[in-house]
Amino acid sequence: MKKFLLSIMMMATISAPAVLTSCGSDDPKPEPPVTESELKGSITTTQTLDAAITYTITGPVIVEDGGVLNIPAGTMIKAKNGFSNYILVLQGGKINARGTAEKPITLTADIENAKQGHWGGLIINGKAPLSGGTKGSTEINSAYSYGGDNVSDSSGELTYVKIEYTGARSSANVEHNGLTLNGVGNGTKIENIYIPYGADDGIEFFGGSVNVKNLLVVDSDDDMFDFTQGYTGTLENAYGIWQKGYSSSESDPRGIEADGNLDGLNPDEKGQSDFTVKNMTIELKLDASSDVKMQMQDVIKIRRGAKATVTNALVKGVGTAMDLVDCTDGKGDAAAGTVINLTNSLTSPITGKDIKPGANAPTIDIKTGNTGCPTDVFAWTGYKF
């Protein structure tokens, strides 16, 4: 693995103060300030970026065990196009991306008018438990493992962070999400996150116990919120949107998709997913359509041994959903004890079923009056609801 490279490229500068010299003076003029820099390679010590510099990811950025990547408020990080351009925090590494509402941190594409799947995204590997007490292999690179027995493991902090145009893929089955949390522990702080225009899922939890608060996902190509492999945390204040003109390249895009174990292959494992979602809104702004690429497969899909508690959930808009709540699957239905509380305010009729309860008698309450996720917590993103 190459050592961390922070190479300076004087591609653009800001104006330097004028220097007045007399004719014939040999006084040197001051060097212009650095405003752009390349970012790639391994971080093995503590590296702190400079908010006055725009960084460009040109290859994998790997925060190794013992390494720390500090990203101050207001930092702009752009990524070149391609699957190999991403940030990966390994077990024992930390990322501290501490933005503010006034100065958020932005991880984005390096070009204007970028599309979904331009670059990788952000992956964090922690030491918190997975279903079966096993270790997992990172989806995009099996050389890196995650999972363990430390529920309170800390991988650092993400606050007021935008993650845009992610989801680059190397094959039909290997692609990035916007934010991937692999066995991340609840000692990690993740709050106020905005993930627009990503391929695959907006966010995916592979096991772990981390809690996430104030999450906005816009136009993810597949699922908005995905849980699997024994996830046991809480997602609070989650808002997912499909905008007008959206269409999916996936066969089964959903609001929530939840598996108890990885891909439903280990139904007898102990420690299946048992998580909570509080205050969630799914908004389908696109026009009602008979085109399946413009329909949501399920607003909420709980399956394969997962147990979920979803409270104050709301789905609204003019778009089309096939099913509201589906707790069935060929590899196992939702676990007993699942509780889902949802208000349907869609103006288009459901094309499938309101409820598919499955074999284990989940409590599914389709009711009126839920308010879902507040929008004022996302004022810092600039998104116009």
Side-chain angles (χ1 to χ4, degrees), residues 263 282 348:
D263 295 329
I282 305 297
S348 299

Side-chain angles (χ1 to χ4, degrees), residues 122 163 166 176-180 193-205 215-226 254-255:
L122 174 58
I163 308 173
T166 56
H176 292 271
N177 303 295
L179 176 59
T180 303
I193 306 297
Y194 178 33
I195 307 175
Y197 321 125
D200 206 24
D201 305 322
I203 187 170
E204 185 160 10
F205 300 81
L215 171 64
L216 174 60
V217 172
V218 176
D219 286 354
S220 58
D221 192 38
D222 195 13
D223 308 315
M224 295 170 174
F225 316 117
D226 197 331
R254 297 176 169 120

Side-chain angles (χ1 to χ4, degrees), residues 45-383:
T45 59
T46 297
Q47 300 285 345
T48 300
L49 304 186
D50 183 343
I53 294 174
T54 296
Y55 297 88
T56 300
I57 296 173
T58 58
V61 178
I62 311 292
V63 184
E64 305 276 356
D65 184 4
V68 179
L69 175 60
N70 294 320
I71 306 176
T75 301
M76 172 70 72
I77 299 176
K78 299 182 178 181
K80 293 287 186 183
N81 179 241
F83 180 84
S84 296
N85 299 320
Y86 57 85
I87 299 174
L88 171 59
V89 181
L90 300 183
Q91 289 185 309
K94 291 185 187 298
I95 182 170
N96 294 311
R98 298 187 176 106
T100 65
E102 295 76 21
K103 295 181 178 181
I105 291 164
T106 302
L107 310 178
T108 191
D110 68 330
I111 60 172
E112 298 293 329
N113 302 313
K115 299 183 184 300
Q116 293 172 322
H118 182 86
W119 67 291
L122 174 58
I123 309 103
I124 303 176
N125 288 1
K127 300 178 181 180
L130 313 179
S131 58
T134 58
K135 288 289 185 76
S137 296
T138 305
E139 193 171 30
I140 62 160
N141 188 332
S142 61
Y144 300 118
S145 64
Y146 61 89
D149 58 7
N150 186 358
V151 174
S152 59
D153 183 43
S154 175
S155 297
E157 177 179 337
L158 302 177
T159 51
Y160 294 100
V161 178
K162 300 179 181 181
I163 308 173
E164 304 174 335
Y165 305 109
T166 56
R169 69 169 62 191
S170 65
S171 69
N173 297 317
V174 180
E175 63 184 316
H176 292 271
N177 303 295
L179 176 59
T180 303
L181 302 174
N182 294 325
V184 176
N186 63 23
T188 308
K189 181 179 180 180
I190 302 181
E191 296 183 0
N192 301 303
I193 306 297
Y194 178 33
I195 307 175
Y197 321 125
D200 206 24
D201 305 322
I203 187 170
E204 185 160 10
F205 300 81
F206 289 87
S209 53
V210 64
N211 302 310
V212 174
K213 185 175 182 180
N214 300 344
L215 171 64
L216 174 60
V217 172
V218 176
D219 286 354
S220 58
D221 192 38
D222 195 13
D223 308 315
M224 295 170 174
F225 316 117
D226 197 331
F227 311 87
T228 189
Q229 207 173 5
Y231 174 65
T232 59
T234 295
L235 173 58
E236 181 177 359
N237 293 344
Y239 207 116
I241 297 173
W242 283 357
Q243 299 184 109
K244 193 176 180 67
Y246 168 93
S247 66
S248 175
S249 69
E250 301 284 347
S251 62
D252 54 2
R254 297 176 169 120
I256 286 178
E257 180 179 281
D259 295 354
N261 58 91
L262 188 61
D263 295 329
L265 300 177
N266 299 285
D268 297 325
E269 284 182 341
K270 293 182 179 179
Q272 305 264 324
S273 298
D274 183 355
F275 64 93
T276 298
V277 178
K278 298 179 180 178
N279 311 329
M280 179 185 74
T281 298
I282 305 297
E283 184 172 4
L284 307 182
K285 292 185 173 184
L286 68 172
D287 293 334
S289 176
S290 60
D291 184 348
V292 294
K293 292 182 179 181
M294 301 177 71
Q295 295 184 12
M296 179 165 279
Q297 177 79 31
D298 308 289
V299 175
I300 298 175
K301 175 82 165 181
I302 312 296
R303 63 184 184 180
R304 301 174 180 177
K307 178 183 176 182
T309 302
V310 181
T311 60
N312 190 30
L314 169 68
V315 58
K316 67 178 186 176
V318 298
T320 305
M322 298 181 190
D323 300 318
L324 282 179
V325 179
D326 184 357
C327 291
T328 67
D329 189 77
K331 294 182 179 180
D333 296 346
T338 290
V339 177
I340 298 172
N341 169 312
L342 174 67
T343 292
N344 177 18
S345 294
L346 289 171
T347 59
S348 299
I350 297 299
T351 62
K353 293 186 177 181
D354 284 359
I355 299 173
K356 295 180 179 178
N360 296 314
T363 300
I364 302 173
D365 185 12
I366 307 299
K367 56 178 288 185
T368 61
N370 284 358
T371 56
C373 179
T375 58
D376 59 344
V377 296
F378 303 116
W380 65 275
T381 68
Y383 184 82

Side-chain angles (χ1 to χ4, degrees), residues 28-47:
K29 293 183 179 180
E31 291 291 333
V34 174
T35 60
E36 297 199 13
S37 180
E38 187 178 1
L39 184 63
K40 68 177 181 180
S42 292
I43 298 174
T44 59
T45 59
T46 297
Q47 300 285 345

